[in-house]
């Protein structure tokens, strides 16, 4: 699965039987999807896009969903993703996430990524980009 791939989510609305609350399911029920850790920034400032993780074809990756259409672009690829740790930058231009031994900055416009921090092995010093 490659970064830049678009997946289509069909929103499903239903009413919770216990509370009577209207609920909208954003992702398809045939695969695991979850939000980031509760205090990470997961939506753009205008509320139009949502950062989330989905497991498709046995691989968990980060996606950015258009909350009007349900279309989501795959942002990450490869193994070693810390799938609860992504967050959107304050300017809504990048995401930051951990994969393998690095903290990455990914441009939402171009999908270009840059390692901004290398996580040191035990007993060694950290390095920037």
């Amino acid at each position: 699965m490659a970064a830049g791939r678009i997946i289509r989510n069909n929103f499903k609305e239903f009413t919770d039987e216990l509370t009577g609350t209207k609920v909208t399911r954003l992702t398809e029920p045939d695969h695991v999807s979850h939000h980031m850790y509760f205090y990470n920034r997961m939506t753009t400032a205008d509320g139009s896009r949502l950062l989330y993780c989905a497991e498709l074809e046995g691989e968990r990756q980060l996606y950015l969903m258009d909350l009007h259409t349900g279309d989501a672009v795959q942002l990450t690829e490869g193994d070693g993703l810390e799938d609860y740790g992504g967050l959107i930058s304050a300017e809504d231009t990048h995401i930051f996430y951990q994969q393998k031994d690095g903290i990455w900055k990914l441009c939402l416009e171009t999908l270009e990524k840059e390692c901004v921090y290398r996580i040191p092995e035990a007993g060694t010093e950290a390095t920037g980009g």
Side-chain angles (χ1 to χ4, degrees):
M1 300 185 312
R5 174 176 81 148
I6 304 292
I7 61 170
R8 310 239 185 275
N9 291 291
N10 297 302
F11 301 158
K12 303 280 191 261
E13 291 186 356
F14 61 94
T15 301
D16 180 74
E17 292 178 17
L18 205 57
T19 65
T21 302
K22 179 181 153 189
V23 176
T24 303
R25 182 183 177 103
L26 301 177
T27 58
E28 301 298 329
D30 65 344
H31 59 268
V32 172
S33 297
H34 65 77
H35 59 78
M36 300 299 104
Y37 195 64
F38 68 92
Y39 60 73
N40 287 9
R41 187 163 185 256
M42 295 172 277
T43 60
T44 53
D46 64 3
S48 68
R49 297 185 292 170
L50 171 72
L51 179 66
Y52 73 104
C53 180
E55 182 176 332
L56 299 168
E57 300 168 17
E59 197 175 277
R60 289 189 182 199
Q61 300 300 331
L62 298 181
Y63 292 82
L64 190 66
M65 181 191 303
D66 181 314
L67 290 171
H68 299 291
T69 67
D71 291 351
V73 61
Q74 182 177 333
L75 301 175
T76 58
E77 59 189 5
D79 60 345
L81 178 71
E82 176 12 84
D83 59 326
Y84 282 93
L87 59 98
I88 299 173
S89 69
E91 306 82 19
D92 292 340
T93 56
H94 295 83
I95 66 160
F96 292 89
Y97 64 96
Q98 180 182 339
Q99 191 166 18
K100 295 185 179 176
D101 66 347
I103 304 295
W104 297 87
K105 176 182 178 182
L106 181 130
C107 176
L108 293 175
E109 185 176 329
T110 65
L111 300 185
E112 291 180 30
K113 65 181 185 175
E114 156 191 14
C115 184
V116 295
Y117 181 78
R118 287 277 175 207
I119 300 167
E121 291 183 34
T124 62
E125 290 188 31
T127 60

